[in-house]
Structures are given as structure tokens and as C-alpha cells.
Amino acid sequence: MVPISRFMSRDPVMVNDRALVGKMARELIEHRVRHILVVGYDGKAVGLVADASVFRHGKFTRAADWEPLESTDNQPRADDLMGPASLVVPESQGVRPVLEQLLDGQVDAAVVIDGSGKPVGIFTEHDAVALASEVLTDGPTATDWGSRPVISVQADAIAGDALDAMADAGVRHVVVLDGTEVESVLSWRDLVERNATTYATLPIRQIEPVGAVETAHSTDSLRSVADRMRRQRIGCMPVLDPSGQLVSVVTRKDLIAALLDRRAS
């Protein structure tokens, strides 16, 4: 049984319950995380704040200044935005029960505590990717586990189209296509960090991440795909057939499903 402490993210981002939303937004951006752990005066976890709760209360301007939607005197604090830390586990906890809850959507993070009850780490889907890159066998391929149909939008679409596609499918990423060719992968964070939730008519090509998109071949091992996702800190990877056509996309949840399938790990 793999202990969760081996793959958890150590030194999670933590704030006290009076931290303002602007501070939390900057922490999310700086550390490239989706969750902030809220701790009490005793140093123990009292809740979790997710990025979606933070970014609905403001935006970053082009000058990288946080612009709250509420007045300065009425900015929400961590204790206004946090949800319960509903899954708290000891360092010795085996990882499988946590993966099961991540996969079925019961939780999206587990807080890991030491013997005194204080948090020492957090385990999220990103940490599951790191686990997959080490323990999956070389047999399963990207085609075997990739999700279909692929949620996509055309490159000439607007931000609102991408947000609608994500909301309808319950995902945080869409593949951007130029005709049938993969142009990029757009995440929910790409959109909110560029004010697209406010400016829904913003063209997607003004939001797309800069640089070549990471893709996998259909015959690539799932383990190698997980390793690339881990190194690039990306949430999904489009899978192309030998002719270069998009056939599926490997997501973090696909990797979790493979980890829970004893034939793959």
C-alpha cells in the first residue's frame, strides 16, 4: 500500500481565516495551485478555499493588479469563502481510498496531517499525476484510457463559448481546434486570470497560452503521458492518431481511473 505522504505536496499554501480575497488570489497565481488551506490559531486546518471561490470575487487587470468586484471595505475573507476540509488523513494513510474519492468527485483535495493534527501536506489530482508517472505499468496506452468525446471549441470562438463548453461538460479544460488541427488547450484558469469571465466576448486567440501545445501519440504509454503532464504541470493532453487527427484527451481523472484499475498499476 503506497502511503499518501510519499506523493503529497508538502508545505501547502496556508493562510489564516482573516486573509483577504486579493491575497489569496495572488497566492494561487504565484504557487500555481487550486487550493489554499485555512488554518486556525492552533495551526490546525479549519477549511479549504478553492480557486473558483476566489476568482468569482475579482480579477487581475492588465497591470497585474487585483481588482475586487466588491468595495474595498467589503472584500470577503478566507472564512467567508472556505469550505470544510472534508477529507483529512494521517501521513500513514494509503493512497487508494483517497484516489477513489477524488475520482467520484466526493472531494478534490485531501489534507494530510501529522501526529499532532497539524497539516503537513495536501494531495490533489496533480499529485495523482505524479503517482501515475511512477507506478503505472508500460502496457496501457494513451488510446486505452483517453476520454471521448473530446470537449473542444474552434479557435475563432469567444471566451463565453469556452466557458459554456466547460460548464456543460463539467470540465476545466477544452481543446482549441483550427478546423481539425489542435491549436492549444485552454483551461478555466487561463480564462479567469485573463478576465474572460467578465469579458465573455473576448476572442479565444487573445487568451490562448503562448507556446507549442503538448500532445501525445495514440501509441504512447499512459505512464509516459503522465510523466509529461507532471513535468509540465498541465491538466490534460490531447491524443493524436498516426495521421495527426485528434482522437481523445488524457485527463487527470483518466490517470486516477487507471491507477485504481489493478491491470494498469
Side-chain angles (χ1 to χ4, degrees), residues 5-248:
S5 58
R6 181 178 165 193
F7 287 95
M8 69 182 183
S9 293
R10 296 185 179 274
D11 302 317
V13 179
M14 293 188 284
V15 298
N16 63 44
D17 60 1
R18 299 180 67 84
L20 293 177
V21 65
K23 172 181 172 57
M24 291 185 286
R26 291 192 178 281
E27 294 281 2
L28 289 167
I29 299 296
E30 179 181 346
H31 296 283
R32 298 181 65 190
V33 295
R34 285 176 51 185
H35 305 85
I36 292 178
L37 184 59
V38 185
V39 295
Y41 291 111
D42 60 0
K44 296 183 179 180
V46 296
L48 279 172
V49 177
D51 58 359
S53 298
V54 170
F55 285 109
R56 69 168 57 103
H57 289 281
K59 62 186 180 182
F60 282 104
T61 66
R62 291 185 178 180
D65 294 321
W66 175 253
E67 184 176 296
L69 298 182
E70 297 87 357
S71 69
T72 304
D73 296 331
N74 194 35
Q75 289 191 54
R77 305 182 315 190
D79 56 358
D80 298 315
L81 303 181
M82 70 183 185
S86 54
L87 182 57
V88 179
V89 298
E91 295 176 90
S92 59
Q93 169 70 52
V95 73
R96 187 176 183 87
V98 175
L99 291 174
E100 290 171 345
Q101 293 193 55
L102 287 174
L103 184 62
D104 67 16
Q106 292 183 48
V107 299
D108 58 2
V111 177
V112 185
I113 58 174
D114 63 14
S116 68
K118 294 182 179 179
V120 293
I122 190 169
F123 188 91
T124 68
E125 289 182 357
H126 173 72
D127 302 301
V129 173
L131 173 64
S133 71
E134 286 203 22
V135 307
L136 289 179
T137 67
D138 290 326
T141 66
T143 300
D144 295 333
W145 287 94
S147 293
R148 303 179 181 86
V150 177
I151 309 303
S152 64
V153 295
Q154 286 295 314
D156 60 0
I158 59 175
D161 297 328
L163 288 167
D164 287 345
M166 291 180 192
D168 290 344
V171 297
R172 288 175 60 105
H173 298 82
V174 293
V175 178
V176 180
L177 299 174
D178 184 359
T180 60
E181 183 177 343
V182 175
E183 184 169 297
S184 68
V185 173
L186 197 62
S187 73
W188 180 84
R189 280 283 287 269
D190 293 327
L191 293 166
V192 298
E193 289 176 17
R194 291 165 177 80
N195 305 339
T197 50
T198 302
Y199 302 106
T201 57
L202 199 64
I204 280 178
R205 283 200 165 117
Q206 291 185 25
I207 309 170
E208 288 178 299
V210 176
V213 61
E214 289 278 341
T215 60
H217 296 294
S218 55
T219 55
D220 287 348
S221 73
L222 192 63
R223 181 177 181 175
S224 69
V225 173
D227 186 57
R228 291 171 61 195
M229 290 173 62
R230 175 190 61 81
R231 288 186 282 110
Q232 297 296 325
R233 289 189 67 89
I234 55 179
C236 69
M237 187 175 293
V239 180
L240 310 181
D241 68 14
S243 67
Q245 294 299 299
L246 177 67
V247 292
S248 64

